[in-house]
Each structure stands twice: as structure tokens, then as C-alpha cells.
């Protein structure tokens, strides 16, 4: 079948099935070459895959390309799927890998140094800026539409290496080991980047969220 041509669909607007399909059945039918099973997979998981790619690559066209490429990888590799993880987790990992490859392949934009975004301290070790008390975790801030826009705007200001680690760890909810594997770095590098990214993000958000405190 001419899968690449058939995959050119409006993935981001696809409705999801409710309830979710039986993953074991879906995998068996896809491994047997069932076209309808693959179309069911795209209808149910395509929108989530697109949203994941869009958060990482920040471009609608690139996100659609990522999903198309990820779905082609699914078709090529479904026969090797061993159900060590859920189908949803497997799809998520594939689309994240495609998004990371897209990011690495394109020219990097001029970025602000992470040092410019870190909290500043005087010679006595005290913060130069007023120490804000807004310490809500990122997932709590994302519950509000207004805060969500502020958080994501602030994340976009981080240098790419730090933006990706905070997206994969705190937004996509991968653990440290999974994040390290996706980025091709050590767990120690992930922990260091994550600590610095969170500190930089807090500094960026403090002045923005002053008016949102109860």
C-alpha cells in the first residue's frame, strides 16, 4: 500500500475513539497487515501524537511531518512490537524520537545563554532580585489557561538543550532515565540540566505571576 500518501491527513483535528481500542487486538491486526486496524490507530492516537510533536518542535508543519514519519516507523516496526510497554507508550516514544531528530537536523536559532537566565546573587550569597514566593509546580501552573500560556512562553525562552529536558521530564512526564535515553546523554547530565532549567524558568516566571497569587 502507498502508506505515505494515505498518511497525509488532518491528524491534529482527528477525533479520538472513546473508549480506547483494545491494544492487543489492534497490534495483532496490524501485524497481520490489517489496513482498518492501522486507520483505527491513527484516528485514536494521531491527535495525541501531533500535540506531543507540536510541543517539542514548535512548528505546525514540522509537527505534522514528525507524525507522518512516526506512523511510517510504526508500520515498519509493528511486527517487532513485543508489548513490553503499552501501545500508547510505544507510539509516544517513536514520535518524540522523530521530533528530536527534526530539531537536531534544523539550524539552531540564536539562543540566550542559560547563565543569563539563572538567579543572580551578590557577594554575600543573597539573591539580587527579590526572592519570589510563588513556588507552585509546573503541572499546577498548567491547569490555568492564562498560566499555561505564560509557562510555555517562558519555556520557549530557554536554550534548546534546557527546553527539551524540561519538556521531556516535566511536561511529557518521562522519568530521568527515559529522558536521558531520548536525549542520548547520561542521567547526571539530565539532572544537572533539569535543575538549571527549573531555576531559570522560576526566575522567568516570578515577575509574570506576581499578579496571579491568591
Amino acid at each position: 500500500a502507498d502508506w505515505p500518501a494515505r498518511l497525509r491527513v488532518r491528524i491534529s483535528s482527528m477525533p479520538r475513539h472513546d473508549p480506547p481500542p483494545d491494544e492487543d487486538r489492534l497490534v495483532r491486526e496490524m501485524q497481520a497487515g490489517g489496513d482498518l486496524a492501522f486507520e483505527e490507530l491513527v484516528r485514536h492516537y494521531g491527535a495525541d501524537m501531533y500535540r506531543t510533536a507540536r510541543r517539542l518542535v514548535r512548528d505546525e508543519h514540522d509537527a505534522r511531518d514528525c507524525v507522518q514519519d512516526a506512523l511510517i516507523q510504526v508500520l515498519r516496526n509493528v511486527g517487532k512490537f513485543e508489548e513490553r510497554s503499552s501501545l500508547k507508550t510505544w507510539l509516544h516514544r517513536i514520535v518524540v524520537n522523530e521530533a528530536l531528530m527534526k530539531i537536531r537536523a534544523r539550524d539552531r536559532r540564536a539562543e540566550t545563554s542559560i547563565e543569563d537566565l539563572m538567579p543572580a546573587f551578590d557577594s554575600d550569597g543573597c539573591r539580587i532580585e527579590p526572592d519570589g514566593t510563588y513556588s507552585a509546580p509546573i503541572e499546577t501552573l498548567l491547569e490555568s489557561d492564562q498560566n499555561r500560556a505564560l509557562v510555555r512562553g517562558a519555556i520557549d525562552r530557554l536554550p534548546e538543550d534546557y527546553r527539551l529536558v524540561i519538556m521531556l521530564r516535566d511536561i511529557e512526564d518521562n522519568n530521568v532515565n527515559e529522558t536521558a535515553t531520548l536525549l542520548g546523554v547520561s542521567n547526571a547530565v539530565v539532572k544537572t540540566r533539569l535543575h538549571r532549567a527549573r531555576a531559570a524558568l522560576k526566575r522567568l516566571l516570578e515577575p509574570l505571576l506576581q499578579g496571579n497569587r491568591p
Side-chain angles (χ1 to χ4, degrees), residues 80-135:
K80 303 174 185 177
F81 181 69
E82 298 178 351
E83 301 182 16
R84 294 178 182 174
S85 61
S86 70
L87 178 61
K88 182 177 180 180
T89 299
W90 185 58
L91 295 173
H92 181 269
R93 187 178 302 119
I94 291 173
V95 77
V96 166
N97 275 323
E98 291 294 335
L100 293 176
M101 285 193 290
K102 176 75 71 175
I103 290 168
R104 291 173 184 135
R106 68 191 184 191
D107 292 335
R108 292 205 168 197
R109 304 176 308 166
E111 295 178 342
T112 303
S113 167
I114 192 68
E115 300 300 333
D116 295 339
L117 301 175
M118 297 296 289
F121 297 87
D122 62 23
S123 58
D124 294 324
C126 298
R127 279 191 61 173
I128 294 173
E129 306 95 333
D131 189 9
T133 58
Y134 199 96
S135 58

Side-chain angles (χ1 to χ4, degrees), residues 16-197:
R16 288 168 48 170
H17 283 179
D18 189 18
D22 181 327
E23 290 191 352
D24 291 341
R25 172 191 60 79
L26 206 55
V27 169
R28 287 196 305 271
E29 291 180 4
M30 287 177 60
Q31 289 175 335
D35 290 1
L36 292 179
F38 179 72
E39 292 174 4
E40 183 179 354
L41 177 141
V42 174
R43 284 196 302 271
H44 184 75
Y45 297 107
D48 283 343
M49 293 173 73
Y50 171 80
R51 283 190 287 270
T52 295
R54 181 68 176 80
R55 285 193 294 268
L56 292 170
V57 301
R58 299 182 295 180
D59 177 86
E60 181 178 348
H61 177 76
D62 284 349
R64 291 179 184 277
D65 284 349
C66 288
V67 177
Q68 305 289 353
D69 292 342
L71 290 172
I72 291 171
Q73 290 301 317
V74 169
L75 281 170
R76 290 175 177 169
N77 295 289
V78 68
K80 303 174 185 177
F81 181 69
E82 298 178 351
E83 301 182 16
R84 294 178 182 174
S85 61
S86 70
L87 178 61
K88 182 177 180 180
T89 299
W90 185 58
L91 295 173
H92 181 269
R93 187 178 302 119
I94 291 173
V95 77
V96 166
N97 275 323
E98 291 294 335
L100 293 176
M101 285 193 290
K102 176 75 71 175
I103 290 168
R104 291 173 184 135
R106 68 191 184 191
D107 292 335
R108 292 205 168 197
R109 304 176 308 166
E111 295 178 342
T112 303
S113 167
I114 192 68
E115 300 300 333
D116 295 339
L117 301 175
M118 297 296 289
F121 297 87
D122 62 23
S123 58
D124 294 324
C126 298
R127 279 191 61 173
I128 294 173
E129 306 95 333
D131 189 9
T133 58
Y134 199 96
S135 58
I138 292 176
E139 56 268 26
T140 300
L141 294 177
L142 291 173
E143 293 174 0
S144 160
D145 289 341
Q146 180 180 358
N147 287 346
R148 188 180 301 119
L150 294 175
V151 172
R152 290 183 174 164
I155 289 174
D156 281 350
R157 292 176 60 187
L158 299 175
E160 191 120 282
D161 286 343
Y162 295 90
R163 183 182 71 84
L164 289 177
V165 79
I166 208 166
M167 289 293 298
L168 292 172
R169 179 67 183 90
D170 289 346
I171 307 299
E172 298 301 324
D173 202 28
N174 295 285
N175 62 35
V176 169
N177 187 58
E178 291 166 339
T179 301
T181 299
L182 288 167
L183 293 175
V185 298
S186 68
N187 286 9
V189 169
V190 167
K191 291 176 182 178
T192 298
R193 288 182 186 173
L194 187 61
H195 174 75
R196 292 168 68 80

